[in-house]
Amino acid sequence: MADITVKVLEEAASIDLCTLDEMKMMLGIATTITTDDEALAMWITQYSDVIATMCNRVFAKEKVTETWRGDAPPYENYRIYLTHYPVADDDLEAVTVSGTLVDPVDYELENRTGKLTLRGCYDPIVVTYTGGYDLPDEAPEALKQALALLVQAGRTHLARAMTSGIRSISHRESRVMFFDALAGGVKSANSPLAVAGETVDALLYHYMRFNV
């Protein structure tokens, strides 16, 4: 496994995967209703960070310098996978190998995955570039949907917690009994992540970064 050092040169201004209005639309909340705006904004940031953690990567666009070290494989081409992706051609500023600047004709960049292929080189490889999504505008729809599922699960979890001790309300001769339809489910008492379950995992799988 390669040894990777990442230095952030320009940190992202926001990690939010969607705007407040987008979240309201996905949850079916009218934009004119502002009662829960503060809580929704908090959940957007919180669960955007959860999604990034689950995927083992940074989605927000940042300018970074990465240094890769490790045994050079016995192949003609040396491939590394940049940690912040996607990466546009114009955002790849410099690639150096053992302190020597590499000519762009001697490497290939796969924009969508951040795969950088260099011909016949040895470490250390140092890459300065800007990569990731310009959030929230460029966030993929799948990530926004996963975020909406987590926020909705968080809202449901909080609402149930606030009313969990209420079993009935009486007024004079009238009584209203409450029955929690989710009480019998195994996942009902778990975290919003457990409630959102397999759907979120399926949406995030193709955005996860695996170190090998």
Side-chain angles (χ1 to χ4, degrees), residues 100-148:
T100 302
L101 188 66
V102 179
D103 193 301
V105 300
D106 291 326
Y107 62 75
E108 294 178 347
L109 172 65
E110 187 175 84
N111 304 111
R112 184 176 61 86
T113 65
K115 181 179 73 172
L116 186 66
T117 304
L118 301 98
R119 299 179 181 85
C121 72
Y122 297 90
D123 62 16
I125 300 172
V126 180
V127 187
T128 298
Y129 69 100
T130 300
Y133 300 101
D134 189 5
L135 299 180
D137 294 341
E138 294 180 356
E141 294 301 321
L143 296 182
K144 292 184 179 183
Q145 182 60 36
L147 177 62

Side-chain angles (χ1 to χ4, degrees), residues 89-195:
D89 291 332
D90 293 340
D91 287 332
L92 186 60
E93 295 187 13
V95 179
T96 65
V97 176
S98 299
T100 302
L101 188 66
V102 179
D103 193 301
V105 300
D106 291 326
Y107 62 75
E108 294 178 347
L109 172 65
E110 187 175 84
N111 304 111
R112 184 176 61 86
T113 65
K115 181 179 73 172
L116 186 66
T117 304
L118 301 98
R119 299 179 181 85
C121 72
Y122 297 90
D123 62 16
I125 300 172
V126 180
V127 187
T128 298
Y129 69 100
T130 300
Y133 300 101
D134 189 5
L135 299 180
D137 294 341
E138 294 180 356
E141 294 301 321
L143 296 182
K144 292 184 179 183
Q145 182 60 36
L147 177 62
L149 288 170
L150 290 175
V151 171
Q152 180 59 52
R155 295 178 74 220
T156 302
H157 187 75
L158 178 61
R160 291 188 66 249
M162 293 176 65
T163 59
S164 61
I166 301 176
R167 293 294 177 265
S168 67
I169 296 177
S170 300
H171 179 67
R172 295 183 179 177
E173 294 82 13
S174 301
R175 172 178 289 187
V176 178
M177 302 294 295
F178 291 91
F179 173 72
D180 188 350
L182 299 176
V186 176
K187 292 184 178 181
S188 63
N190 292 336
S191 68
L193 287 176
V195 176

